[in-house]
Amino acid sequence: MTSKTKHFQLTMPALTSILLLVSSLVGIWIADSEIQIFSFGDQWPDARTVPVVVLWLLAAISALRLILNFGEQKTPIGPVHRYGQVFIVLLAAIIALWSMPHFGFLPGAIFFGIVATLALGERRPLLVLGLPLIVAITVYYGGRYGIGVPLP
């Protein structure tokens, strides 16, 4: 007689979905106090609208993924030595966010982009240096001059 009961096994997609869901809900919770409105008046939409909508969408998609993939058999999370990449990216994000008020958006975003691409295995210099630089500059100038959001 064999047992056909499914045991809960934490998989990489489940862990990722849980982390994204919790992070997006925390982001929604703190968005009101952390995003300052600079002379946009009382009209809607304001500077909080896009981040909050994106965070709600991320929370909904993460929850939906958890629900839809609940009973499926998946491979378990990889070996422990691969967790280092995740922690390096997480630490780089914390350092970048901490440094932005002190050094500005561009240095923090470029630092995070370079560390993240290296941690995730990219070794081509054009992509390691060029892509984070292009993305950070595009976001900075698009945010500051395109939609008028003051970045540090």
Side-chain angles (χ1 to χ4, degrees):
M1 177 184 254
T2 60
S3 173
K4 293 190 178 193
T5 60
K6 292 183 180 179
H7 298 302
F8 178 76
Q9 185 177 25
L10 188 60
T11 61
M12 187 57 80
L15 179 61
T16 303
S17 296
I18 291 168
L19 290 174
L20 285 173
L21 178 61
V22 169
S23 299
S24 58
L25 292 175
V26 168
I28 292 166
W29 181 63
I30 65 172
D32 189 42
S33 64
E34 294 296 320
I35 300 176
Q36 299 175 0
I37 305 298
F38 294 96
S39 302
F40 289 123
D42 292 330
Q43 62 184 347
W44 187 87
D46 58 22
R48 292 182 191 111
T49 303
V50 172
V52 169
V53 167
V54 169
L55 288 169
W56 274 113
L57 287 172
L58 182 61
I61 291 168
S62 300
L64 183 63
R65 181 173 179 165
L66 276 172
I67 292 167
L68 293 176
N69 294 335
F70 182 69
E72 291 186 14
Q73 291 286 339
K74 299 233 184 336
T75 57
I77 297 175
V80 175
H81 71 276
R82 299 287 311 257
Y83 294 174
Q85 293 173 322
V86 175
F87 292 117
I88 289 171
V89 172
L90 179 63
L91 184 61
I94 292 168
I95 292 170
L97 290 172
W98 172 83
S99 70
M100 283 181 188
H102 305 290
F103 303 110
F105 176 82
L106 281 175
I110 293 168
F111 165 77
F112 174 75
I114 290 171
V115 171
T117 55
L118 286 172
L120 296 175
E122 184 58 57
R123 296 294 179 256
R124 292 174 282 188
L126 184 61
L127 291 177
V128 170
L129 298 173
L131 187 60
L133 185 67
I134 290 169
V135 169
I137 290 171
T138 302
V139 169
Y140 180 77
Y141 283 103
R144 175 157 286 193
Y145 301 110
I147 59 176
V149 175
L151 296 170

